DNA sequence: GTCTATACGGCGATAGAC
DNA sequence: GTCTATCGCCGTATAGAC
């Protein structure tokens, strides 16, 4: 397999592994096994575990930015801000059907203390802020509301709340209330394979 | 030092260490050093690293629940739901002046996949939901909005956004817009010691 | 109640062959 | 482009003394 393709495949698998276990909890061998190659080869291709993690984060942030820009570009002005927010919300849910991406983003947030990873995590988050405010034309308050909804969304999925969806009345109510029309998408994301 | 007091001291230090590094990234030796005792003694007192982490989470969740119940109890009915929400928001900000508590809660969220930790993390989150809905009397939508604001709050602090407060116009704007009147509290939380 | 010494396993990274 | 073998460190947990 050509190196470029192999790198992308490894990054995709690494997103899942890092997402599940966190930066420290994940091992390069788990990534290697997920990709069907040997552990030293993973290290060979990316230098160190930390560099691999940074590339995973960067990839996730780039995909998010590209998706948002795509939605903004193809939404006509007469949909209004509310319509645009709605489309962006759907795009976000759809994006993290690749579950590795959501979890990579979240892991970046909570690794904010790290001297190497923290700055990049902040830069990515602020980049999203700028896209929403400067390119989508949201007011600061609209951006805040949009981001807050996204963070709750992230948390509920990270907690695996859909796993107890059937057993717990409160969990079901909170999920339905949070995702409303997006619910079928969400259940598709985290339902059994 | 009596065992009970020692345990509480270790739990407080462990909250900070686990909060900074995550469950996998933190070591029992770091906890021991923070508490000024030997690593084997930490293990001796709590059995395993996992059990220590579970106690850290439980302690944080209990403190949160106790704080919210206290606010609900001492708020008179004629403050209205908006007034109660405001008080609860302030209480939350104040609670995580003990920074270890906030980070322990967040770490619990993203360790949701873990067979031992996940169930407890979900239980704690749903307990908060029940307090807000059944004891504070919020509607599901009000609870959702309250929780979403809290999750954004968590994320901004985890990212250490206040650290770049002075250098980045967007970071400043987002922080001000998110915390508004709570801002002085927040800056007190993460400012230099 | 707390320590020192240490066994044991696991992980990141390197060396070097094919 | 990819592997096997392996080194050396580090972290959890145990044993046992004081």
């Amino acid at each position: 397999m050509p190196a470029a393709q192999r790198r992308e495949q490894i990054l995709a698998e690494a997103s899942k592994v890092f997402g599940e276990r966190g930066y420290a909890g994940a091992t390069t061998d788990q990534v290697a096994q997920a990709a069907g190659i040997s552990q030293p080869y993973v290290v060979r291709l990316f230098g160190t575990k930390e560099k691999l993690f940074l590339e995973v984060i960067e990839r996730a942030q780039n995909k998010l930015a590209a998706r948002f820009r795509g939605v903004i570009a193809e939404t006509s002005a007469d949909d209004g801000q509310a319509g645009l927010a709605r489309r962006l919300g759907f795009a976000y849910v759809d994006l993290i059907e690749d579950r590795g991406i959501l979890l990579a983003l979240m892991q970046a947030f909570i690794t904010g203390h790290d001297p190497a990873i923290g700055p990049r995590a902040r830069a990515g988050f602020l980049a999203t802020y700028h896209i929403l405010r400067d390119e989508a034309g949201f007011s600061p308050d609209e951006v805040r509301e949009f981001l807050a909804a996204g963070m709750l969304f992230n948390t509920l999925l990270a907690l695996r709340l859909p796993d107890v969806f059937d057993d717990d009345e409160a969990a079901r109510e909170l999920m339905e209330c949070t995702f409303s029309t997006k619910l079928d998408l969400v259940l598709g994301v985290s339902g059994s394979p």
Side-chain angles (χ1 to χ4, degrees), chain A:
Chain A
M1 186 182 299
Q5 187 180 342
R6 186 60 97 181
R7 282 179 65 91
E8 170 56 27
Q9 180 216 3
I10 294 176
L11 284 173
E13 297 297 338
S15 295
K16 297 178 199 163
V17 176
F18 279 126
E20 292 300 323
R21 322 272 230 188
Y23 170 60
T27 70
T28 52
D29 191 54
Q30 288 163 352
V31 174
Q33 279 185 251
I37 58 179
S38 70
Q39 177 266 333
Y41 191 39
V42 172
V43 176
R44 172 82 146 223
L45 280 180
F46 292 89
T48 65
K49 180 185 176 182
E50 186 179 74
K51 285 180 185 169
L52 172 59
F53 187 61
L54 282 171
E55 288 209 39
V56 163
I57 290 176
E58 202 160 349
R59 174 175 173 273
Q61 290 173 342
N62 287 341
K63 287 208 177 194
L64 177 60
R67 185 67 71 95
F68 276 4
R69 291 202 162 104
V71 171
I72 293 170
E74 70 192 16
T75 299
S76 64
D78 48 79
D79 278 335
Q81 292 303 75
L84 180 54
R86 224 179 103 81
R87 281 170 192 253
L88 287 171
F90 273 100
Y92 187 65
V93 175
D94 184 62
L95 179 72
I96 51 82
E97 277 192 31
D98 179 346
R99 211 162 165 290
I101 293 193
L102 166 68
L103 293 172
L105 292 170
M106 290 198 70
Q107 291 292 346
F109 296 159
I110 66 150
T111 318
H113 72 97
D114 186 282
I117 297 165
R120 178 152 297 281
R122 284 186 285 275
F125 194 84
L126 290 174
T128 303
Y129 184 82
H130 275 115
I131 290 175
L132 292 171
R133 192 191 62 176
D134 303 337
E135 301 180 30
F138 288 176
S139 72
D141 259 349
E142 287 169 336
V143 177
R144 176 187 49 77
E145 206 164 322
F146 186 87
L147 290 176
M151 295 307 103
L152 178 58
F153 185 95
N154 291 352
T155 303
L156 299 184
L157 284 186
L159 268 175
R160 306 284 197 284
L161 221 58
D163 289 3
V164 294
F165 192 93
D166 294 325
D167 305 329
D168 191 295
E169 162 265 329
R172 179 179 211 104
E173 183 177 86
L174 178 56
M175 290 290 296
E176 285 177 344
C177 165
T178 303
F179 296 111
S180 57
T181 55
K182 303 188 190 74
L183 197 58
D184 44 344
L185 270 174
V186 179
L187 289 178
V189 169
S190 32
S192 41

